[in-house]
Amino acid sequence: QVQLVESGGGSVQAGGSLRLSCVASGYFYSEYSMAWFRLAPGKEREGVACIDRYTNTLYADSVKGRFTISKDNAKKTLYLQMNSLKPEDTAMYYCAAVYAVVPATPLMQNEYNNWGQGTQVTVSS
């Protein structure tokens, strides 16, 4: 198991940027595939971006070209750089991890068994 702690959320106007961080505890961090999910009021939790243990990335169509996921194994930290934010990006953002697996459907939440507590992102128009 790995403990995950997100930070970096906040309130921003449309068109602005935020960078989320997710710091992990534990060992063998480089062996984890990781992802960012978000949960907006009245909606189901959706996968936003993922990066597997081989650093392959995948993005939801709704954020492609605006968000960038990256992973610093030395710092045990996952990042989500969010640019050109829109009001519809408003949500609680969670990081997730799974050890030693390349998920077959990497933007599906049931692929991951380690979750952080979330950080709130609010984008105003």
Side-chain angles (χ1 to χ4, degrees):
Q1 292 288 340
V2 63
Q3 304 299 317
L4 303 172
V5 179
E6 303 96 333
S7 63
S11 297
V12 64
Q13 289 191 326
S17 298
L18 285 173
R19 188 176 80 157
L20 306 184
S21 299
C22 172
V23 178
S25 64
Y27 300 98
F28 311 116
Y29 180 77
S30 64
E31 300 302 312
Y32 281 85
S33 294
M34 303 189 72
W36 288 97
F37 287 79
R38 66 186 181 187
L39 180 61
K43 296 185 178 180
E44 295 186 354
R45 186 154 57 182
E46 65 166 335
V48 174
C50 57
I51 182 166
D52 69 22
R53 56 188 295 201
Y54 303 113
T55 69
N56 298 302
T57 59
L58 182 67
Y59 296 90
D61 287 343
S62 58
V63 307
K64 201 171 294 182
R66 300 188 298 122
F67 290 11
T68 302
I69 190 171
S70 61
K71 188 168 174 265
D72 186 331
N73 289 332
K75 294 183 178 180
K76 296 185 180 180
T77 302
L78 179 72
Y79 300 102
L80 185 67
Q81 178 66 45
M82 306 186 295
N83 298 329
S84 303
L85 283 162
K86 305 175 181 180
E88 51 263 43
D89 295 319
T90 295
M92 184 73 80
Y93 283 72
Y94 300 87
C95 69
V98 61
Y99 176 69
V101 168
V102 176
T105 51
L107 292 180
M108 299 297 291
Q109 59 181 324
N110 60 1
E111 295 277 13
Y112 301 89
N113 57 4
N114 296 277
W115 292 85
Q117 295 300 306
T119 185
Q120 177 68 38
V121 172
T122 303
V123 185
S124 58
S125 56

